[in-house]
Amino acid sequence: GIQVEQSPPDLILQEGANSTLRCNFSDSVNNLQWFHQNPWGQLINLFYIPSGTKQNGRLSATTVATERYSLLYISSSQTTDSGVYFCAGGFYNQGGKLIFGQGTELSVKP
Amino acid sequence: NAGVTQTPKFQVLKTGQSMTLQCAQDMNHNSMYWYRQDPGMGLRLIYYSASEGTTDKGEVPNGYNVSRLNKREFSLRLESAAPSQTSVYFCASSFNGGTGQPQHFGDGTRLSIL
């Protein structure tokens, strides 16, 4: 079946460091989204990015659909960036359903 | 603007009891979704509704039923709860799932079944 794989599974950073999270998917996507789940369990949509590059403050994301991967960049990390980052792919002929990766758990230390 | 509202936030049930989880969105979205999240795992789709009047199974539908009551509301029912259904349940909505639109999530319902 269709698979979405994220790496690394967990990451520890010092405040101020930069990081790159990766998402690989096994088939062509028409929908790729990145989410942040904060320590209280809330899921926040960071990016809807089926292709190309987008930036939102210290965060940016790039999806290279032809090579079946997406990257999430976090610059100058802050303790409030801690939590779990999920990517989720929507695939052609799947009716808008998203398949989630297992997540990258990020801990930013002061 | 509340976004996606789920009730209740917490619930404890005994095995065999039934329960309905409620979800409402005020963003005029057409598509709605129910997911479950188990410890250390990503989210898995239980059921979704692409538009008012339609529902379809996701990855893990067994033991659940859904009702798209109207455009705003999408409920999830456990007819006979089992300990394996202990999980955090999230409802989400998007403007039009078929064309790939951002999904927005509620805060979740934490359900424990003893």
Side-chain angles (χ1 to χ4, degrees), chain A residues 34-38 41-47, chain B residues 103 105 107:
Chain A
W34 283 96
F35 297 88
H36 176 220
Q37 187 167 38
N38 64 26
Q42 295 172 315
L43 278 159
I44 308 300
N45 192 302
L46 298 175
F47 292 102
Chain B
Q103 287 190 17
F105 282 76
D107 287 345

Side-chain angles (χ1 to χ4, degrees), chain A residues 33 37 42 45 48 96-97, chain B residues 37 45 48 97 100-101 103 107:
Chain A
Q33 301 186 31
Q37 187 167 38
Q42 295 172 315
N45 192 302
Y48 165 70
K97 294 182 286 187
Chain B
Q37 183 179 27
L45 184 66
Y48 70 105
Q101 296 290 317
Q103 287 190 17
D107 287 345

Side-chain angles (χ1 to χ4, degrees), chain A residues 37-102:
Chain A
Q37 187 167 38
N38 64 26
W40 297 271
Q42 295 172 315
L43 278 159
I44 308 300
N45 192 302
L46 298 175
F47 292 102
Y48 165 70
I49 185 165
S51 63
T53 297
K54 289 186 178 179
Q55 182 154 7
N56 185 0
R58 295 181 296 102
L59 274 60
S60 64
T62 295
T63 296
V64 183
T66 54
E67 297 187 21
R68 300 183 183 175
Y69 72 90
S70 183
L71 302 174
L72 178 68
Y73 305 95
I74 303 174
S75 64
S76 303
S77 58
Q78 301 176 357
T79 56
T80 52
D81 294 331
S82 295
V84 183
Y85 290 81
F86 290 103
C87 71
F91 299 88
Y92 290 97
N93 301 318
Q94 294 294 311
K97 294 182 286 187
L98 287 181
I99 296 176
F100 279 73
Q102 300 284 68

Side-chain angles (χ1 to χ4, degrees), chain B residues 7-113:
Chain B
T7 55
K9 295 188 184 305
F10 303 92
Q11 185 70 48
V12 179
L13 294 178
K14 294 181 179 179
T15 298
Q17 288 184 316
S18 62
M19 171 168 193
T20 300
L21 279 61
Q22 306 287 352
C23 175
Q25 53 89 10
D26 63 2
M27 296 176 283
N28 200 34
H29 284 171
N30 292 299
S31 304
M32 297 185 73
Y33 312 83
W34 277 105
Y35 294 88
R36 61 178 287 173
Q37 183 179 27
D38 300 304
M41 298 182 68
L43 280 74
R44 292 181 293 170
L45 184 66
I46 304 171
Y47 270 94
Y48 70 105
S49 171
S51 60
E52 186 178 359
T54 68
T55 60
D56 209 345
K57 295 178 180 179
E59 184 183 354
V60 288
N62 291 344
Y64 305 95
N65 287 301
V66 291
S67 295
R68 183 74 184 268
L69 304 171
N70 48 54
K71 189 172 185 178
R72 291 185 63 247
E73 299 173 289
F74 188 39
S75 63
L76 178 72
R77 183 162 178 83
L78 287 69
E79 290 290 352
S80 179
S84 61
Q85 294 177 304
T86 293
S87 190
V88 181
Y89 291 85
F90 287 97
C91 177
S93 70
S94 67
F95 181 71
N96 187 335
T99 59
Q101 296 290 317
Q103 287 190 17
H104 300 276
F105 282 76
D107 287 345
T109 295
R110 284 149 184 79
L111 182 61
S112 293
I113 300 164

